[in-house]
Structures are given as structure tokens and as C-alpha cells.
Amino acid sequence: MARLHLFDLDGTLLHGSSAPVEISRQLGLEAEAVALDRAISAGLIGPPEYATQVHTLWAGLTEAQVAAAFEAAPWLARIREVWAELTRNGDYCAVVSLSPSFFVERLTDWGAHAAYGSRFPAVPFREPVDPAGVLSAAAKVRIADRLCAEFGVTRADCVAYGDSMSDKDLFGAVPVSVAVNADRHLTGLATHSYTGRDLWEAYELVRAA
């Protein structure tokens, strides 16, 4: 039976950082983005407010800066190798993140079968972000169900990888989960835990199952 591996982006595939922080670094606005990350992690703001504020922060953002942020980001090692292995085995891999879709969707070029992020307008921005398109922890579960239907699997066939509160609902919905460099919000929820900078090592925890 095929399995569907669901990967978070910020703090999971990206070590100790997030897509908004990496994008903001290109604009010289890293400190502002870090402050927003801390606010949403503490529950002081929700995903729609966070998206609206980073959209404002990125008023001058260009496609070249997005590409530079993606290339320079602190990715875990061997992401593409893990996804190639999953594909060879007949499994599926998808990225589901609250970060902007224009960043997350670049991971399909690395071998992800699907990549979902919060819907942002095209870069450079000519229109506001629509709060209705901003993802949440609950939305990750809905997208997982949609992907299960698309790939012909069930929740029982899913493995989730995440690091924080935004992954809590998904960890509760699937039978196998890997906490990757995780914070306190996932304590006791994951079936496996990994600390390090190599996705293959995290994958090996569930590889033989």
C-alpha cells in the first residue's frame, strides 16, 4: 500500500527559519519578520493577520528576491534524495505550509508531488492578500484529506513531519508522525522525534514501517 508523506516547511524542511524570514532577509527586514514569527508562535496573532502584515512588509518584493531567498535558505540536507526514494517506492510526498504559495510551490521542482501554501497575489504585488486563502492548522488536515483522495490513500496511510503548533491538528489526525526539531507544542504527540539537519535521518525513523 502506498503512503503519503506530508511535510511542513517552516522549522521543518527549513532549519531554524521560515520562508517569510528568508524572504524578508533579502529586503533587509529580517528582524521584523522574526518578530512576526514570534507573535504567531505565541498565539498573539493568527494566520490571516500574519499574512497581511508580511504582505505589507514585502511591498517592494521582486521575483528575483524570492528566487534568491529560496536558494539561500537553510534547507535540511537530502530533501530531494528522500523524495526521490519515496517516488521510487510508489509513495507520495507533499508539502503543506502556512507560508506563501509562491515560495512553497517551488518545491515541486525538487520532487514533491504537491505543494500547498497560503494564497498570495503574484509578485510583485498589485493587490492585497485575501485572508480567505490563508491556511491554518485545521486547513492542513483538510488539504491532507484532499490529497488522500487524489492519490488513492487514506489517513491511515499518512506520515506527517512537523515542528510546531501549526502541525498539531495534522499530528492528531494521522497515525504516524515525526517531530523534526520540534518545539513544546508537539511534546508527546509525535510517534517519532528527530533533532538534526538531515531529512534522510528523520525519514529513516519511519522508512521500515
Side-chain angles (χ1 to χ4, degrees), residues 76-163:
L76 292 189
R78 296 198 284 181
I79 294 173
R80 280 170 277 200
E81 289 83 350
V82 169
W83 293 351
E85 164 93 352
L86 293 175
T87 300
R88 283 193 299 270
N89 291 342
D91 287 347
Y92 301 97
C93 50
V95 182
V96 186
S97 170
L98 274 59
S99 275
S101 54
F102 61 75
F103 190 96
V104 180
E105 289 168 1
R106 288 173 174 265
L107 288 166
T108 57
D109 290 338
W110 284 15
H113 294 101
Y116 285 85
S118 294
R119 288 198 307 273
F120 271 64
V123 175
F125 299 144
R126 297 288 184 267
E127 56 191 68
V129 64
D130 181 0
V134 177
L135 300 188
S136 63
K140 285 191 172 188
V141 178
R142 293 194 295 271
I143 290 171
D145 286 340
R146 190 185 314 159
L147 289 169
C148 283
E150 179 180 343
F151 296 132
V153 299
T154 69
R155 286 189 186 183
D157 307 310
C158 290
V159 182
Y161 303 74
D163 75 304

Side-chain angles (χ1 to χ4, degrees), residues 9-55:
L9 174 64
D10 302 324
T12 303
L13 297 178
L14 286 177
H15 184 267
S17 189
S18 68
V21 167
E22 296 306 311
I23 293 167
S24 298
R25 183 175 287 124
Q26 297 295 317
L27 298 167
L29 298 168
E30 178 184 358
E32 290 84 346
V34 169
L36 286 172
D37 274 8
R38 288 174 178 162
I40 193 170
S41 294
L44 300 177
I45 59 174
E49 186 178 358
Y50 178 92
T52 299
Q53 292 194 38
V54 294
H55 176 274

Side-chain angles (χ1 to χ4, degrees), residues 152-204:
V153 299
T154 69
R155 286 189 186 183
D157 307 310
C158 290
V159 182
Y161 303 74
D163 75 304
S164 65
M165 184 166 58
S166 72
D167 305 299
K168 193 171 182 179
D169 289 6
L170 187 58
F171 273 39
V174 303
V176 180
S177 54
V178 183
V180 179
N181 299 313
D183 65 22
R184 60 181 176 80
H185 294 103
L186 298 185
T187 301
L189 291 178
T191 53
H192 304 275
S193 182
Y194 171 73
T195 301
R197 302 193 67 160
D198 189 331
L199 187 62
W200 189 278
E201 294 174 354
Y203 165 56
E204 281 192 323

